[in-house]
Amino acid sequence: MLALGIQRLDAEPGQALDLAEAVLRRAPGAPQAQLLAGQALRRLGRPAEALTRLSALARGHRTVAAVLWELAQAASEAGDARQAIAALESLTRQQPAVAQGWFLLGRQLRKVGRAQDAWRADLAGVHASSRDRDLLEAAVAMNEGRLDEGEALLNARLQRLPDDPPAIRLMGEIHWRRGDMTLALEWVERAVYVAPGFDLARDFLIRLLLQNNRLTEALDHAERLTGSPLRHPGYALIKASVLVRLGDQQGAAAIYEQLLKAKADQPQVWQNLGHALKTLGRQADAVHAYRRAVHYQPTMGEAWWSLANLKTVKLDGEDIAAMEQALVALDPQREEDVLHLHFSLGKAYEDAGDDAAAFRHYDLGNRLRRAMVPHDADDFAAETAAMASTFTAPFIAAQGEGGCPAPDPIFIVGLPRAGSTLVEQILSSHSQVEGTMELPDMMAIAGRLQSRVDEGEFPDFRTMIASLTPADRTRLGEEYLERTRIHRQSGKPLFIDKLPNNWQHVGLIHLILPQAKIIDARRHPMACGFSGWKQHFARGQSFTYDLTDIGRYYCAYVDLMAAFDAAMPGRVHRVFYERMVADTPGEVGRLLDHLGLPFEESCLAFWRNDRAVRTASSEQVRQPIFTDAVDHWQRFEPWLGPLAEALGPVLPGYGR
């Protein structure tokens, strides 16, 4: 009879209770019958009665795990957190490998305000789960790319344990690996909600939020993570990375300095500190930080490149010898370090006047990087041609009114190394204009719209754009302003979004933010192309590692901007770098006139502006304009034939 009651407990708890009571009438106090009765009462939604039965049973069976587990659940459901905690603390002492006991203990401890103890309970539950066979099988399937199999295993587990934090987090990672960021975030947020002390899940959530540019939420979670009882230094680094994204370089630098005070031999932290100090304009301190990084790790290519990339620093013969020695010592498989060292040696030899050696190292670095980064010049040319054929004057006129009328944004677009940072620094020195940073938000909106085409909702981009109603375009413009609001700290009426690649989205900007200003920063194609080729960007410029690709990219850029000029005359104001150098007051005056801003002398003394600058030109814009860079490319002209050939008629037509 008792065995039958156990079998029917989940499906028919009422019948299980009747069977347990029948046994107890014949054998009062029978432990198994008492346990079954308590289990049945709890499943019938009568936790207080279950608690009474199970409390009495537990007094005589304090070491029976099943009794403690049922007692804890009944107490939890009855609202008696303290009794639940007592039962769970006893259970986890006896059976620390029972993960669900730890997770339930964490939830109960939070109810009575014992947050740190709850956090430790969650961590213990995660540790216990690391040996769970079902979870291990699901993780192996996921890591081997068998995502459907991993999801099936997790679904089966979640049927039994719907609030199992490790299974929920793994489900989020499976969706992330599939590229479904929305579902990934939902699952990982749920894991952190169920077990707030699940540090690895919160770490993953922060990274997902950063990928989605949800910076305020990321910072909130990063600050919580630093309160972990584990006191893991990596959590402070995560917070620092969020602060960097938010533009709080000072806050990030303070974290790095604190970590280095505790333990100095951390080359990666020294490098991170150097990045923050460089952005803040503390060049001498940045140089010191980068040199400490290579002191502790002489083969750290990125730290050498960060030092070389300060532009105003010249690496000497001793540095060249150290980098050449590092190249010999490095395993060729460490390609990132190798290519960074080649770029660094290129800069060092260039400064030393050995142009042949400089070009050779730049070429070796670019060849390595080109093999790692895909770029299809034909596909890109086709994309820009399609964009030009979309945003024609008749098409734009047919869309009618719409878009957010706010005049706040000033978009600075163009190619990298074309002078956009200089224009930004000049404008951000004006009392009505706030400089922010390279903001990814317009590209994110454009990417989301393109995904509707990629997923088959529309046959092409033109049809998708044409489907947007005036209200849709207003909503998209308002979304952009809302997404970028976090970067506006000064209260000034206008702000700069200086992301050069936004030149591809000028048509979209015009439709969703019709009052925004757009500035195209342009530089001589040979100077711009060579400067980009030797730069080695951290990300986002896949075309810059081959001279022919650069020439074709520049042509696509010129053609599309010409199409925008024809479709929207006067919408884009063009600033030629060479003209800005030759006649700074005149060009600044024309720029401010286009923006409808009064002239201010501070714009001519832009180098006195101490705002944070994150780009490769950060040090160059902290001094007056100099003319050395205008014709510098000519030193390397003998090797730049592929670039000139790819540029074709664009080269003689520059500046017209």
Side-chain angles (χ1 to χ4, degrees), residues 359-397:
F359 189 89
R360 180 172 63 85
H361 279 289
Y362 284 140
D363 188 51
L364 287 169
N366 274 294
R367 287 178 186 274
L368 276 173
R369 189 62 174 164
R370 183 67 182 86
M372 300 163 64
V373 179
H375 176 75
D376 190 314
D378 290 334
D379 282 353
F380 186 77
E383 289 175 13
T384 54
M387 197 69 69
S389 66
T390 293
F391 292 100
T392 61
F395 178 84
I396 291 171

Side-chain angles (χ1 to χ4, degrees), residues 40-63:
L41 286 165
R42 186 172 70 81
R43 284 161 176 76
L44 287 166
R46 296 155 61 183
E49 296 174 62
L51 182 58
T52 300
R53 295 282 191 106
L54 293 166
S55 297
L57 179 61
R59 283 194 286 272
H61 300 82
R62 298 181 185 278
T63 61

Side-chain angles (χ1 to χ4, degrees), residues 39 127 131 160 290 365 415 421 438 510 515 571 583:
Q39 291 172 317
H127 178 70
R131 296 182 291 275
R160 304 190 313 272
Y290 290 139
L415 265 60
T421 304
E438 294 187 348
H510 175 73
Q515 299 304 315
R571 187 73 172 85
D583 178 19

Side-chain angles (χ1 to χ4, degrees), residues 23-87:
V23 171
L24 289 169
R25 282 194 293 272
R26 292 200 304 270
Q32 287 187 317
Q34 285 182 302
L35 176 60
L36 179 60
Q39 291 172 317
L41 286 165
R42 186 172 70 81
R43 284 161 176 76
L44 287 166
R46 296 155 61 183
E49 296 174 62
L51 182 58
T52 300
R53 295 282 191 106
L54 293 166
S55 297
L57 179 61
R59 283 194 286 272
H61 300 82
R62 298 181 185 278
T63 61
V64 179
V67 173
L68 292 171
W69 177 242
E70 284 297 329
L71 173 61
Q73 292 187 89
S76 172
E77 293 173 18
D80 191 339
R82 297 188 183 280
Q83 191 165 351
I85 289 168

Side-chain angles (χ1 to χ4, degrees), residues 426-629:
I426 289 169
L427 288 179
S428 65
S429 300
H430 195 282
S431 63
Q432 297 185 43
V433 182
E434 179 174 10
T436 57
M437 55 200 293
E438 294 187 348
L439 305 178
D441 304 279
M442 185 56 65
M443 291 192 73
I445 291 171
R448 192 176 74 234
L449 294 175
Q450 179 61 46
S451 70
R452 299 176 67 184
V453 179
D454 298 339
E455 293 168 5
E457 184 180 352
F458 295 96
D460 52 45
F461 192 76
R462 180 188 180 92
T463 307
M464 187 277 300
I465 290 293
S467 75
L468 298 175
T469 66
D472 290 334
R473 289 186 274 118
T474 299
R475 176 180 49 78
L476 288 170
E478 290 171 346
E479 177 192 339
Y480 170 83
L481 291 175
E482 185 59 35
R483 289 173 63 119
T484 56
R485 198 174 309 281
I486 190 172
H487 299 288
R488 302 179 66 177
Q489 308 294 328
S490 68
K492 295 180 180 180
L494 305 177
F495 74 99
I496 298 170
D497 181 343
K498 187 205 75 78
L499 188 66
N501 290 7
N502 275 334
W503 64 267
Q504 301 166 50
H505 308 304
V506 166
L508 177 63
I509 292 170
H510 175 73
L511 289 181
I512 71 174
L513 289 161
Q515 299 304 315
K517 297 295 190 293
I518 304 169
I519 300 163
D520 175 21
R522 192 168 294 191
R523 185 181 179 190
H524 189 282
M526 292 297 287
C528 185
F530 174 62
S531 184
W533 182 75
K534 68 175 184 171
Q535 173 59 46
H536 178 50
F537 298 92
R539 61 185 179 277
Q541 309 295 353
S542 62
F543 69 95
T544 60
Y545 302 104
D546 179 88
L547 290 170
T548 298
D549 284 347
I550 292 173
R552 295 190 62 187
Y553 189 95
Y554 195 104
C555 291
Y557 152 69
V558 169
D559 289 346
L560 183 55
M561 294 306 292
F564 286 142
D565 288 343
M568 302 171 278
R571 187 73 172 85
V572 177
H573 178 79
R574 191 153 292 113
V575 175
F576 290 95
Y577 176 77
E578 296 79 12
R579 295 178 189 172
M580 180 65 79
V581 170
D583 178 19
T584 305
E587 287 299 310
V588 170
R590 283 185 282 275
L591 176 60
L592 294 176
D593 284 345
H594 175 76
L595 298 176
L597 293 173
F599 182 83
E600 292 182 359
E601 287 291 337
S602 57
C603 293
L604 297 180
F606 58 86
W607 63 88
R608 297 195 180 109
N609 187 340
D610 62 358
R611 59 178 287 270
V613 182
R614 297 179 63 180
T615 67
S617 303
S618 60
E619 295 311 310
Q620 291 165 305
V621 297
R622 299 191 191 283
Q623 52 190 301
I625 287 179
F626 57 95
T627 60
D628 298 6

Side-chain angles (χ1 to χ4, degrees), residues 316-367:
D316 59 22
E318 188 176 332
D319 293 322
I320 290 174
M323 288 188 286
E324 294 279 18
Q325 185 177 353
L327 270 180
V328 173
L330 270 172
D331 182 339
Q333 298 300 314
R334 288 173 55 183
E335 291 183 328
E336 287 285 346
D337 283 312
V338 172
L339 69 89
H340 276 109
L341 281 165
H342 279 306
F343 278 101
S344 304
L345 281 163
K347 173 65 163 56
Y349 280 117
E350 183 180 354
D351 289 343
D354 190 340
D355 294 347
F359 189 89
R360 180 172 63 85
H361 279 289
Y362 284 140
D363 188 51
L364 287 169
N366 274 294
R367 287 178 186 274

